[in-house]
Amino acid sequence: MEISTSPFAALGLSEVILKSLDGLPYSQPTPIQEQAIPAVLFGKDVLGIAQTGSGKTVAYALPILQRFLDEQWPMENRHVPILVLVPTRELAIQVEAVFQELNFGIEKVKIGAVFGGVSINPQMIGMQGVQVLIATPGRLLDLIGSKAVHLGSVKVLVLDEADRMLDLGFKEEMDRLLALMPRKRQNLLFSATLNKAVDEITQLVLHKPEVIQVTDEPQDVVLIKQRAFRVTEERKGPYLRYLIKSMDMQQVLVFTASGHSADHVAEKLNRNGIDAAATHGKKSNHARQQALADFKTGKLRVLVATDLLSRGIDIELLPYVINYELPRSPKDYIHRIGRTGRAQNTGEAISIITPEDQHHFKVIQKKMKQWVTLEGTDDVDLTGF
Ligand code: AMP
């Protein structure tokens, strides 16, 4: 028998599961994978303090799939054994993609994702035989209400981005869902931050968890090169176009503070010959997915987004993020710049700072314990931009 030399094999993953990694660009496990995979395989509850970009999805998906295949849990139709709860449809789609990617080499597991904002009927039909269900809480409750799915046989529950779930006010829905699950099950909870609300849910859900923290790994942030330019309010628009053109940025995510501003910036870019689309909470589900898909495949050069999208967007090798307007909280700043320089790739995060922003930018840097030199731009000739 051929013995696998993959570094993932050392974590206790079986040959079948290791096959699912064939053809994927994962040569080394990330720190969260190194720690979480053995614990999950062992059947332990896990509290993972890690954000999107750390490789956390693979960290739970791989060992869950292995447990599922090894233990051959009896399946009643419409009773899902594995449930992943996520706060947003974007994350649902992304997590589903990771499971599908891994399942490609296994081809045995039926994976489904459900979320609001789209018609429920196809989802009801699609629940038939689903073994791994990725869901946002509200839509899942609707599906349970219409008996399309049952939680009475859940063996493994994942709460992904639990902090975000609570921020968005899903506590009550989560409680209702938890009450429908059997008490004996494995629980994995992932959160980018720890706060009182997360702590409470941790106490409620997790039983003697293995605590794994990877957020403060300095090398993650070090990979992101940060720059900041001081620009007056009137020169901001032209300066953004100057940056994109002079640095020949072919794929850049631009953040604004509001949906209105995102629309405005995208429109201006388009008028100046730079292909851009805006995405934010007021856009339709379809428009958001389309814009993100076009951006990911490189069809769309600039995606202008609000903070709603700063978590959960996962784009491999995204080279540039620009803060056209600063976010209110330092946490959001970290989420924004974390869209680049992910999983060992270098990236550049650029902030455009007006004189009025300067104080707030200092506060953000202080919180991050990272200092970015503010570069002057007065001598840049913006005529023609
Ligand atoms: P996540 O934190 O789950 O959102 O994953 C972030 C990104 O890291 C995704 O694009 C994954 O495909 C990628 N990734 C996950 N595990 C690895 C790995 N071991 N090596 C390289 N990239 C990885």
Side-chain angles (χ1 to χ4, degrees):
M1 198 179 82
E2 201 184 319
I3 304 288
S4 174
T5 52
S6 155
F8 283 90
L11 303 175
L13 293 166
S14 65
E15 286 296 321
V16 176
I17 290 291
L18 290 172
K19 268 223 166 68
S20 72
L21 291 173
D22 282 356
L24 296 179
Y26 309 158
S27 50
Q28 287 286 334
T30 65
I32 184 111
Q33 290 162 5
E34 257 171 7
Q35 296 174 68
I37 290 173
V40 179
L41 284 177
F42 205 66
K44 291 196 73 158
D45 279 9
V46 168
L47 169 61
I49 319 293
Q51 45 200 335
T52 299
S54 58
K56 68 177 164 58
T57 320
V58 170
Y60 63 75
L62 276 177
I64 286 178
L65 288 171
Q66 175 157 333
R67 288 204 63 202
F68 178 71
L69 294 176
D70 281 0
E71 298 181 24
Q72 310 209 332
W73 295 315
M75 270 286 298
E76 252 183 274
N77 197 16
R78 295 187 181 272
H79 277 72
V80 284
I82 297 160
L83 176 65
V84 183
L85 282 181
V86 295
T88 59
R89 52 194 113 166
E90 279 80 13
L91 188 61
I93 291 167
Q94 200 171 297
V95 169
E96 185 195 15
V98 169
F99 270 99
Q100 294 291 13
E101 195 175 61
L102 297 174
N103 192 34
F104 188 73
I106 307 171
E107 284 183 21
K108 278 190 186 143
V109 186
K110 182 157 179 196
I111 294 151
V114 295
F115 39 81
V118 294
S119 157
I120 196 168
N121 286 352
Q123 294 182 348
M124 284 168 76
I125 299 162
M127 279 302 94
Q128 192 85 15
V130 165
Q131 294 158 319
V132 176
L133 178 62
I134 299 126
T136 54
R139 177 51 59 97
L140 179 58
L141 281 167
D142 292 343
L143 287 161
I144 292 168
S146 52
K147 303 221 179 320
V149 62
H150 306 280
L151 302 188
S153 307
V154 169
K155 299 275 188 201
V156 184
L157 168 69
V158 182
L159 296 176
D160 201 347
E161 293 195 0
D163 49 349
R164 185 81 173 137
M165 203 115 69
L166 295 165
D167 285 351
L168 292 174
F170 284 132
K171 174 79 171 65
E172 200 199 312
E173 281 90 342
M174 268 158 72
D175 286 343
R176 283 172 58 199
L177 290 167
L178 288 168
L180 299 170
M181 296 175 212
R183 283 172 68 105
K184 194 171 168 308
R185 50 165 208 266
Q186 183 176 22
N187 300 288
L188 315 174
L189 189 148
F190 292 86
S191 181
T193 48
L194 271 188
N195 55 38
K196 200 160 155 270
V198 175
D199 211 38
E200 268 172 33
I201 195 95
T202 308
Q203 307 271 351
L204 185 74
V205 173
L206 300 176
H207 178 68
K208 293 195 189 148
E210 178 106 356
V211 181
I212 301 167
Q213 175 152 16
V214 296
T215 35
D216 290 328
E217 300 259 322
Q219 68 264 35
D220 287 348
V221 192
V222 168
L223 276 174
I224 305 167
K225 183 171 165 208
Q226 295 185 58
R227 294 182 78 181
F229 296 102
R230 188 173 39 227
V231 184
T232 56
E233 192 64 46
E234 323 73 80
R235 279 165 55 96
K236 267 177 91 169
Y239 193 75
L240 174 69
R241 299 189 286 275
Y242 162 79
L243 273 180
I244 295 172
K245 286 186 175 164
S246 68
M247 293 174 76
D248 193 28
M249 299 177 182
Q250 293 305 324
Q251 195 188 32
V252 50
L253 183 58
V254 175
F255 281 107
T256 59
S258 68
H260 177 73
S261 170
D263 285 337
H264 180 72
V265 169
E267 192 191 311
K268 281 278 197 159
L269 286 171
N270 280 316
R271 243 190 274 155
N272 285 277
I274 301 171
D275 209 12
T279 180
H280 49 76
K282 293 220 169 67
K283 292 267 177 183
S284 74
N285 199 22
H286 176 75
R288 281 158 63 177
Q289 281 176 23
Q290 188 63 49
L292 189 57
D294 286 349
F295 184 60
K296 277 189 174 189
T297 54
K299 249 203 262 171
L300 180 69
R301 190 170 174 189
V302 185
L303 185 65
V304 190
T306 57
D307 285 297
L308 179 77
L309 287 223
S310 75
R311 295 192 191 210
I313 291 189
D314 176 37
I315 300 156
E316 261 166 64
L317 293 170
L318 181 59
Y320 296 104
V321 167
I322 297 180
N323 290 308
Y324 184 76
E325 285 155 348
L326 282 178
R328 234 170 305 154
S329 81
K331 238 186 349 189
D332 282 333
Y333 178 85
I334 293 172
H335 276 292
R336 284 181 178 190
I337 70 168
R339 299 314 91 203
T340 180
R342 332 189 61 190
Q344 315 306 313
N345 297 309
T346 50
E348 196 162 328
I350 297 173
S351 298
I352 298 180
I353 307 293
T354 64
E356 297 84 78
D357 293 331
Q358 247 169 281
H359 174 71
H360 183 50
F361 191 52
K362 279 209 182 103
V363 174
I364 291 178
Q365 296 177 67
K366 208 166 153 198
K367 274 267 159 57
M368 279 202 313
K369 299 199 183 73
Q370 283 226 344
W371 301 96
V372 186
T373 317
L374 200 54
E375 301 172 45
T377 61
D378 291 346
D379 53 357
V380 177
D381 182 6
L382 294 177
T383 356
F385 289 97

